Amino acid sequence: MLQVTGAGRRNALVCASEFASRLFKSSRFEDQLAVRQKGLTYDTEFLRWMLSDGAGAAVLSATPARTGLSLRIEWIELLSFANKFEPCMYVGPAKNGAPTPSWLDYANYRQAADSGAITLRQDIRMLNEVVRHAVYGLLQTAKQKDLEPATVNWLAVHYSSRLFRDQSHDLAARAGFEIPFDRWFSNLTSTGNVGSASTFLLLIKSANRNSVENNMRRNQPTTKAKAQ
């Protein structure tokens, strides 16, 4: 967006992709000594059911497309709380209170593999805090932008489980920022959790659905009754 609005570029392409399945091949786990001895830990098994492969992209331009549907960007706000916490999702051995070594810290690839240093994990104990800070970021942005729940027609939101959707809704509602579920949009059940690609897929799916529904409303026949 900055390239188009501030650097004089006519067009820009932005894309993201996830290929998590490469880290979850059964052969990788079968080759790890720790897995053969103790089995998969929950922080790894959890992710094998939660992540999907996918990709998405968007073309940005200073003018609307000549054909088809265009979305207008009014503002983008980026917030990060990475300075407050350890990594929640990471590649490495299970946390044990000590600094987590990288696979590069081992003498050879065999030692790194046997210790689980090439395994993708998620610290599920941090997830409640992740949800809480995500909602806090929304509330902070809404306050800065004078955004009211009643003015939000559609909330296209990325979450990895319906559990986190309900938690997010309840936290925001308690803070006075409630958007009813009938205005939430997610494609989790059809697309899966594709991480960084989710935003692009959410936008196009929600925009297409809204466009269809608006056309249906415009084309729906109406009846008029004479005043008596």
Side-chain angles (χ1 to χ4, degrees):
M1 183 191 73
L2 293 177
Q3 288 292 315
V4 173
T5 59
R9 304 292 192 272
R10 295 180 60 185
N11 300 288
L13 174 67
V14 56
C15 56
S17 64
E18 299 284 355
F19 204 171
S21 63
R22 292 179 295 180
L23 281 167
F24 294 135
K25 295 176 181 179
S26 60
S27 58
R28 296 191 186 278
F29 298 112
E30 292 165 356
D31 194 45
Q32 294 179 27
L33 180 62
V35 174
R36 294 199 301 272
Q37 291 178 341
K38 301 179 181 179
L40 277 178
T41 56
Y42 185 72
D43 60 352
T44 297
E45 187 70 57
F46 174 78
L47 287 181
R48 296 186 73 198
W49 296 93
M50 297 295 287
L51 299 180
S52 303
D53 295 341
V59 175
L60 278 67
S61 175
T63 58
R66 294 181 179 180
T67 59
L69 185 66
S70 292
L71 301 175
R72 184 177 66 187
I73 299 174
E74 295 193 356
W75 48 266
I76 294 177
E77 188 75 18
L78 298 177
L79 294 175
S80 173
F81 302 100
N83 62 313
K84 296 180 179 292
F85 306 98
E86 295 181 352
C88 180
M89 188 181 296
Y90 64 100
V91 174
K95 294 179 180 179
N96 59 8
T100 303
S102 161
W103 64 272
L104 294 171
D105 295 321
Y106 291 82
N108 53 61
Y109 297 124
R110 178 75 271 161
Q111 288 184 17
D114 280 342
S115 67
I118 62 171
T119 299
L120 180 63
R121 307 173 190 274
Q122 184 159 43
D123 188 345
I124 59 174
R125 296 167 298 180
M126 297 178 64
L127 291 180
N128 287 336
E129 202 65 39
V130 170
V131 173
R132 189 172 72 86
H133 275 75
V135 174
Y136 171 75
L138 167 66
L139 297 175
Q140 182 178 333
T141 300
K143 182 178 181 180
Q144 292 175 347
K145 302 295 183 181
D146 292 325
L147 187 65
E148 296 293 336
T151 65
V152 178
N153 294 326
W154 292 103
L155 178 64
V157 58
H158 167 59
Y159 48 83
S160 60
S161 167
R162 185 165 178 168
L163 171 67
F164 302 137
R165 183 202 71 161
D166 295 346
Q167 289 179 352
S168 300
H169 170 272
D170 294 346
L171 285 171
R174 287 200 292 269
F177 196 90
E178 181 176 10
I179 298 177
F181 282 131
D182 59 6
R183 282 189 267 153
W184 286 54
F185 178 82
S186 169
N187 58 352
L188 180 65
T189 56
S190 60
T191 305
N193 175 11
V194 291
S196 61
S198 295
T199 297
F200 304 103
L201 302 181
L202 275 169
L203 285 176
I204 189 62
K205 291 291 185 180
S206 62
N208 285 339
R209 190 183 78 165
N210 294 343
S211 178
V212 169
E213 291 183 352
N214 289 336
N215 286 334
M216 290 175 63
R217 284 194 289 267
R218 284 197 297 267
N219 296 329
Q220 185 176 7
T222 59
T223 58
K224 296 182 180 179
K226 291 184 179 179
Q228 299 296 327

